[in-house]
Amino acid sequence: MIGDDRNRSLPARATPARESGRLGTGAEIGTVLGSKYELGGSRLLNSSIDLGWRSSVTAEVRRHEDLHCAPFVQQVNEVIIALSGSAQIRRRADGAEQKFLSRPGSACICPRGVAVKYLHIHAGSLDMLHLYLPQDLFGNLACLDNSPIDSGLMYTGGFYDPLVQQIGVAIAEEMQTAGSTGRILLDSLGVALAARMLQNYMRQDSNSFTDVYLDGKSAGGLDRTRLNRVLEFMSQNIDADISLEELASVACLSVYHFARAFKLATGSAPFHYFTDLRLSRAKALLIDPGKTVEDVAFSTGFSSGTNFARAFKKSVGVSPTRFRNDR
């Protein structure tokens, strides 16, 4: 997890994430998703775009020390989670000013279409995770892609939600280690975050839910035929950077519906199941003395021997080398 050492050296300046038209956030192609922060004096530390994670969600870790944003109309649905540090935040849209001390775990929501009069972060330093979600929250809200109206989420800040915090920490940690399942993890946790937004942070006058949302809430787990197709696809692509969208397509379901149905059928989220599948394959390969640990890492989709060893020890309890020697 990103620590609280405010004196650590900063990495080279990362490239701001841009809306490519593929991410489904509803912004125009070429939009810099965090442009208001760039102009206001923020520093981008890391982004999912730089990591090559072409997910439906874009994630940025930013450092805010003296941020002053001019008035803007929000272009995307955004959830912000404080990771470390503390600072005062003042912001206002149509209602009363929202003023609070932000500390690790506090969160804010800024929906697409909201006209923000001002945003100030001062009297401290914050590292924050910014998550840009699809406008329709994975097909759950009846929104037109180019509609100027907002998505129906609340404009709220300074709240503490254990699930939102847990999702933010998991994504930030994966970004820091550049793990091998980053893309599918970001997809999966983005769906979980969207579900939380739909459950707890919608306005009373929000847009109507779609059939995708209603069907996903009432449906059971994946049937055996669909599940077998998905598991076979995972097994055949054990070394690939697959996405949740690809798995949902194999099952012929929406991303939201698939994520829920897969967990009901297996007891695990897709990215957990896929990671466990990779590690099971790795155990079998480690028995072969002719394969190095690095060979096994790359054969099972890990980006490096170091990342593989970290994930293996976390799951199995011993290093790959120790596992091999104990056979």
Side-chain angles (χ1 to χ4, degrees), residues 29 35-36 52 67 84 93 95 110 127 152 167 183 226 239 243 248 251 308 324:
I29 295 174
S35 59
K36 58 184 178 290
L67 178 73
S84 62
C110 191
D127 283 3
I167 290 172
R183 184 183 182 192
R226 292 177 195 258
D239 61 343
S243 69
F308 167 61
R324 165 177 279 171

Side-chain angles (χ1 to χ4, degrees), residues 39-103:
L39 296 173
S42 170
R43 182 177 181 85
L44 179 63
L45 303 181
N46 200 356
S47 79
S48 59
I49 297 293
D50 289 341
L51 294 171
W53 298 350
R54 305 302 297 172
S55 168
S56 297
V57 179
T58 297
E60 295 179 341
V61 176
R62 290 183 170 274
R63 178 164 297 172
H64 307 295
E65 293 179 322
D66 192 21
L67 178 73
H68 301 282
C69 291
F72 61 90
V73 176
Q74 178 71 354
Q75 296 295 301
V76 298
N77 287 319
E78 183 177 0
V79 179
I80 310 101
I81 304 152
L83 300 172
S84 62
S86 65
Q88 292 286 341
I89 294 182
R90 294 174 51 236
R91 65 180 209 160
R92 185 179 181 186
D94 290 336
E97 179 183 71
Q98 297 178 5
K99 182 178 180 181
F100 52 91
L101 177 66
S102 182
R103 292 176 174 169

Side-chain angles (χ1 to χ4, degrees), residues 279 293 297 302 304-316 318-321:
L279 293 174
V293 171
F302 289 87
S304 69
T306 300
N307 284 338
F308 167 61
R310 182 187 300 112
F312 191 93
K313 186 171 184 179
K314 181 178 180 180
S315 175
V316 181
V318 296
S319 70
T321 301

Side-chain angles (χ1 to χ4, degrees), residues 3-18:
D4 290 317
D5 181 4
R6 314 309 298 173
N7 296 318
R8 68 185 186 278
S9 60
L10 290 172
R13 189 175 181 83
T15 303
R18 288 183 178 272

Side-chain angles (χ1 to χ4, degrees), residues 166-281:
Q166 181 182 0
I167 290 172
V169 168
I171 292 174
E173 288 181 344
E174 191 74 7
M175 292 176 72
Q176 193 172 49
T177 61
S180 62
T181 55
R183 184 183 182 192
I184 190 173
L185 180 143
L186 187 55
D187 283 340
S188 299
L189 292 184
V191 170
L193 182 61
R196 189 66 163 187
M197 297 299 104
L198 293 165
Q199 180 184 30
N200 288 358
Y201 302 103
M202 296 294 296
R203 297 197 312 270
Q204 292 299 316
D205 61 344
S206 64
N207 294 341
S208 59
F209 295 122
T210 63
D211 290 341
V212 169
Y213 176 75
L214 298 176
D215 291 345
K217 282 184 67 68
S218 60
L222 284 181
D223 61 75
R224 176 55 57 181
T225 300
R226 292 177 195 258
L227 180 60
N228 286 341
R229 286 206 309 265
V230 172
L231 297 184
E232 182 179 4
F233 181 85
M234 285 184 172
S235 181
Q236 292 176 347
N237 293 275
I238 200 76
D239 61 343
D241 182 20
I242 65 174
S243 69
L244 191 65
E245 184 179 5
E246 290 173 309
L247 295 177
S249 178
V250 171
C252 299
L253 295 172
S254 71
V255 170
Y256 177 82
H257 189 167
F258 168 75
R260 184 176 185 277
F262 185 91
K263 187 169 184 178
L264 286 174
T266 65
S268 296
F271 73 90
H272 281 143
Y273 194 100
F274 190 54
T275 298
D276 290 343
L277 192 64
R278 281 179 163 177
L279 293 174
S280 294
R281 180 74 60 84

